[in-house]
Amino acid sequence: MTIDKTDITKTTQSVAVLGANGHTGRFVVTELLRRGLKPIAIGRNAERLAAAGFPGRGIQCREAVVEDDEALDRALAGAAAVINCAGPFMDTADAVARAALRAGIHYLDVTAEQPSVQATFERHEVAARKAGVAIIPAMGFYGGLADLLVAAVMDEWEHADTIEIRVALDSWLPTRGTRVTGEKNTARRLAVSGGQLEPVHQPPAERVSILPAPFGRQTFVELPFSEVPLIARHVRTKELHSFLSTIALRDVRDPSTPPPQAVDETGRSAQRFAVEVIVAQGDMRRRIVAQGQDIYAVSAPIICEAVQRILSRDIRDVGAKPPAAIFNAASFLQALGPDLSVEISET
């Protein structure tokens, strides 16, 4: 297989995907094609890119490793944005974001890692704003979705007393990338307590909630992901806590749990998810619930919707920002309708 290293003219239709041959990366490439955009598939190994079937679909392939700045620069040539699907993001996000800034293009990733999100904001906000580009970490199921749900349900509220996020999965069949990231990410998880980012109290708190079918009564344990540093970046709240269902936690901690298995022609697994957000301000409470299928697959329409809006300039701001600081949350969630059902209620 020959890797194209020519410097093509930049076009708003070209989007580079790093880690394109990975589990989530393949969903992203397919979603970009569905939306009429032109993916550039980037991976560490030419043979793996070929094995993913990209050349047969007319997809341009390029080889690069994050340790090689020159290779990254060649791989991003001609793209208007880069989507980083190559975790662990504590190992890749900084190098790819720096390459995006050198190229003057937008950067997005799908990290669930809190330290990666924090580092991306701290290191790249000034340069991204100066370059007039958007840098958005955690623009996937973990992180970005909860950030958008919080912003949508708060609506006109300028602050909240408490925000709780509860993620229910009827199973969690983790990819190899998820397992590798879990082994490497040993940082203490953070929540907002008393208006400040603080380590999660031990033992972690538990919650019980009644969710729509097929979930019903679910037990949750506090286990925050990348949504916390996203939301804390732009939402004023005294308390922000995020919980994962004990069913999902049991699966992902069991080394014998198999990886996802496709059940339809799109490659999605049968996994179902629900994300419940409850915000409170004084005596008022608001609740929003989003449901869908396959947390890895749904990250593709989420991040590709973000790219499409950025390229069409349907954004509020630039710089290194959380999703809800750049997009209109309600409009964004509505656009995900085929892949996500959302219901808001007063409680």
Side-chain angles (χ1 to χ4, degrees):
M1 177 182 177
T2 301
I3 302 297
D4 181 6
K5 296 181 180 178
T6 58
D7 185 3
I8 62 174
T9 301
K10 184 182 295 184
T11 167
T12 57
Q13 298 299 306
S14 296
V15 179
V17 182
L18 191 78
N21 57 298
H23 188 78
T24 301
R26 297 188 195 202
F27 285 119
V28 169
V29 168
T30 298
E31 181 68 14
L32 289 171
L33 288 171
R34 189 187 71 80
R35 290 169 178 259
L37 297 169
K38 298 178 182 178
I40 301 170
I42 303 173
R44 299 178 66 92
N45 183 280
E47 286 69 32
R48 291 179 184 174
L49 291 170
F54 296 136
R57 299 163 69 187
I59 297 168
Q60 187 176 175
C61 296
R62 298 177 181 176
E63 193 172 14
V65 294
V66 296
E67 298 82 6
D68 186 336
D69 284 352
E70 291 184 0
L72 274 178
D73 292 345
R74 290 194 299 269
L76 298 186
V82 56
I83 297 174
N84 182 7
C85 297
F89 295 90
M90 62 189 79
D91 295 339
T92 67
D94 187 58
V96 184
R98 284 189 288 104
L101 287 167
R102 289 194 299 272
I105 67 176
H106 309 285
Y107 170 90
L108 305 90
D109 68 37
V110 292
T111 183
E113 305 158 35
Q114 291 186 339
S116 175
V117 171
Q118 292 175 296
T120 297
F121 286 148
E122 292 165 3
R123 295 171 183 170
H124 302 302
E125 166 59 20
V126 173
R129 178 164 289 280
K130 184 177 180 180
V133 300
I135 291 185
I136 312 178
M139 191 71 243
F141 175 80
Y142 284 111
L145 177 56
D147 183 52
L148 293 166
L149 290 170
V150 167
V153 76
M154 286 186 65
D155 195 12
E156 79 285 1
W157 288 3
E158 294 183 356
H159 71 276
D161 293 330
T162 64
I163 300 172
E164 288 199 356
I165 300 157
R166 302 168 190 177
V167 177
L169 310 178
D170 65 359
S171 66
W172 190 351
L173 308 181
T175 64
R176 179 179 177 277
T178 295
R179 292 206 179 278
V180 170
T181 299
E183 291 169 0
K184 295 194 69 171
N185 184 16
T186 59
R188 294 187 67 182
R189 295 178 187 259
L190 303 175
V192 173
S193 182
Q196 302 294 323
L197 278 171
E198 300 283 356
V200 171
H201 294 154
Q202 297 298 322
E206 292 189 359
R207 294 288 187 273
V208 174
S209 188
I210 306 298
L211 295 176
F215 294 97
R217 182 183 176 89
Q218 294 284 310
T219 302
F220 299 84
V221 63
E222 186 164 13
L223 190 69
F225 290 90
S226 49
E227 65 281 345
V228 166
L230 291 183
I231 297 165
R233 189 83 176 179
H234 68 109
V235 176
R236 289 192 295 123
T237 183
K238 297 175 184 176
E239 302 290 327
L240 168 59
H241 301 276
S242 188
F243 300 80
L244 180 67
S245 63
T246 54
I247 293 172
L249 185 58
R250 177 199 64 203
D251 284 350
V252 79
R253 286 181 171 174
D254 183 351
S256 68
T257 303
Q261 300 296 319
V263 296
D264 61 29
E265 67 281 357
T266 70
R268 293 186 303 176
S269 72
Q271 177 199 61
R272 303 295 304 183
F273 66 79
V275 181
E276 177 187 51
V277 174
I278 299 174
V279 299
Q281 187 186 92
D283 294 332
M284 297 179 291
R285 283 164 51 93
R286 292 177 177 174
R287 177 178 184 256
I288 187 169
V289 178
Q291 289 184 270
Q293 179 181 347
D294 193 328
I295 62 173
Y296 298 107
V298 81
S299 288
I302 293 172
I303 202 166
C304 292
E305 177 68 21
V307 166
Q308 202 156 39
R309 287 179 178 238
I310 290 169
L311 298 185
S312 66
R313 305 304 296 175
D314 184 12
I315 56 177
R316 294 171 161 175
D317 205 353
V318 294
K321 297 279 192 301
I326 290 189
F327 307 110
N328 178 290
S331 169
F332 194 109
L333 291 169
Q334 186 176 18
L336 297 174
D339 300 288
L340 198 72
S341 66
V342 178
E343 182 177 344
I344 298 178
S345 62
E346 300 276 350
T347 62

